[in-house]
Amino acid sequence: MAMNNELTHKDCIFCKMITGEVNTTKLYEDADVFVFLDINPLALGHTIIIPKTHADDIFQIDTELFGTMMKGVKRVANVLENALKLDGVNLLINNRSYGGQEILHIHAHLIPRYKGVSMRYGEHIIYKDGEKEDIAQKIISELDK
């Protein structure tokens, strides 16, 4: 599969989030990465980090851009630890349909884990009223430091 050299891909929902065509709970963005809360979270604070340049998966992404994306993942993991007082985190990157990838734009999931709170993949949580906004504000405040 050839590398898509376009900055964004017109049919990609994540690219549409980056351009503002689709609303999301954006936490952070810089020249290279875009960070937002997952719309189907597996845990409170489940966060997605994507490169702003479109690449379908790990097989397509430029090595340097992947490194930049992973620097963003590391920064956000530290922020989640401080902002949400989590006890652990899962880092997940699915690739291609047989690898569980549903959206063809490489992305990393940071899934906070809390002592005493079980989690099963595929069982999504629902935020209580105001909870999503509260968590987003805690993360944004920590990112601004």
Side-chain angles (χ1 to χ4, degrees):
M1 193 176 282
M3 173 72 177
N4 181 346
N5 291 321
E6 296 177 41
L7 181 60
T8 60
H9 188 276
K10 67 181 175 101
D11 297 323
C12 173
I13 190 142
F14 285 173
C15 289
K16 289 178 180 182
M17 288 177 182
I18 293 167
T19 63
E21 293 175 65
V22 171
N23 286 336
T24 190
T25 305
K26 180 176 86 170
L27 302 173
Y28 173 78
E29 75 176 300
D30 61 26
D32 301 307
V33 297
F34 189 86
V35 180
F36 56 97
L37 288 178
D38 193 302
I39 62 168
N40 291 309
L42 296 173
L44 297 175
H46 181 164
T47 301
I48 305 288
I49 300 93
I50 62 174
K52 290 177 88 172
T53 300
H54 183 90
D56 284 355
D57 52 38
I58 199 166
F59 304 104
Q60 282 193 358
I61 193 168
D62 174 79
T63 302
E64 185 175 329
L65 181 58
F66 186 69
T68 299
M69 178 182 149
M70 294 312 293
K71 286 179 186 175
V73 167
K74 170 69 170 134
R75 178 170 185 234
V76 173
N78 289 337
V79 164
L80 292 177
E81 180 182 37
N82 293 330
L84 304 180
K85 310 303 183 218
L86 55 85
D87 297 304
V89 67
N90 292 114
L91 169 59
L92 180 65
I93 302 175
N94 298 322
N95 291 279
R96 296 185 179 162
S97 61
Y98 285 103
Q101 186 178 11
E102 295 177 4
I103 297 174
L104 291 180
H105 185 125
I106 190 166
H107 55 287
H109 296 259
L110 282 174
I111 307 165
R113 302 300 302 271
Y114 303 95
K115 184 177 181 180
V117 179
S118 63
M119 182 197 80
R120 292 179 190 221
Y121 288 99
E123 290 184 9
H124 301 280
I125 63 156
I126 297 173
Y127 286 107
K128 297 174 185 161
D129 286 343
E131 194 172 35
K132 183 177 184 181
E133 295 78 13
D134 182 52
I135 286 173
Q137 190 53 52
K138 286 178 183 177
I139 296 167
I140 291 167
S141 294
E142 191 68 30
L143 279 162
D144 287 342
K145 289 183 179 179

